Amino acid sequence: GDSVTQMEGPVTLSEEASLTINCTYTATGYPSLFWYVQYPGEGLQLLLKATKADDKGSNKGFEATYRKETTSFHLEKGSVQVSDSAVYFCALCQAGTALIFGKGTTLSVSS
Amino acid sequence: GAGVSQSPSNKVTEKGKDVELRCDPISGHTALYWYRQSLGQGLEFLIYFQGNSAPDKSGLPSDRFSAERTGGSVSTLTIQRTQQEDSAVYLCASSSTANSNEKLFFGSGTQLSVL
């Protein structure tokens, strides 16, 4: 079945460092891809999405590009802030099915 | 309401007891989803509803788990004869449609602890 694999955490960075969280997927067909974020004490919320190959989703300085050839959707940010500390989930969705999530990657940014 | 509301926010129960978790989706949202979040397991899909029907129940871990949705709105997830491995955060989400591109809005979850 469809699945999402993302890098194990935790990821610990200093403020202003660059970030990459790897995400790869296995799916039949052409899923939509998402990154959701869970800030401490808050509910999950959508960070960005891409619905077809070569699309780039972006929000709050984060970017991810839908790469069909490598079945990847890596999350990147050039300069992280302490406020970016959260758990990040990669996910995919196909028509008629529910979102399938990866296991989550915890990011901790220190000043 | 303004967001997805779940109750109770915390539930402590004894092994073997039944529990009922409630989800109030955003008004007008036709699709409703239940997930379970366990340490080290990430987000595990349980069931989703389109209106009052459940096209996909494949994630329910055992026949002790059931869910229903009435009036196309409120949903309840029932766990019978709870076990310690049922301890987790149960998350509900809703979206305006079941379209694969649609953004999900999540509630804050119910933290279930089975002693």
Side-chain angles (χ1 to χ4, degrees), chain A residues 1-80:
Chain A
D2 296 352
S3 65
V4 174
T5 303
Q6 58 183 108
M7 63 187 286
E8 299 269 338
V11 174
T12 304
L13 295 173
S14 298
E15 206 164 24
E16 299 183 6
S18 64
L19 168 73
T20 299
I21 300 178
N22 290 335
C23 171
T24 57
Y25 67 90
T26 301
T28 56
Y30 304 97
S32 296
L33 301 175
F34 304 80
W35 278 99
Y36 277 76
V37 60
Q38 188 172 34
Y39 296 105
E42 297 184 19
L44 268 163
Q45 55 189 276
L46 178 66
L47 179 61
L48 54 84
K49 71 177 183 182
T51 58
K52 61 183 188 296
D54 300 324
D55 267 3
K56 178 186 284 188
S58 61
N59 186 22
K60 299 183 180 180
F62 290 88
E63 293 184 339
T65 301
Y66 190 140
R67 301 284 188 203
K68 185 169 176 291
E69 64 275 14
T70 54
T71 61
S72 65
F73 193 55
H74 305 321
L75 182 68
E76 299 176 325
K77 187 172 186 181
S79 176
V80 294

Side-chain angles (χ1 to χ4, degrees), chain A residues 32 34 36 38 44 49 51 89 93-96 98-99 103, chain B residues 33 35 37 40-43 45 48 91 100-101 103-104 106:
Chain A
S32 296
F34 304 80
Y36 277 76
Q38 188 172 34
L44 268 163
K49 71 177 183 182
T51 58
F89 293 89
C93 189
Q94 305 238 43
L99 264 177
K103 292 192 175 184
Chain B
Y33 306 79
Y35 288 87
Q37 187 174 19
Q41 296 300 314
L43 276 158
F45 166 72
Y48 95 91
L91 292 171
S100 62
N101 299 330
K103 172 181 175 178
L104 264 61
F106 280 83

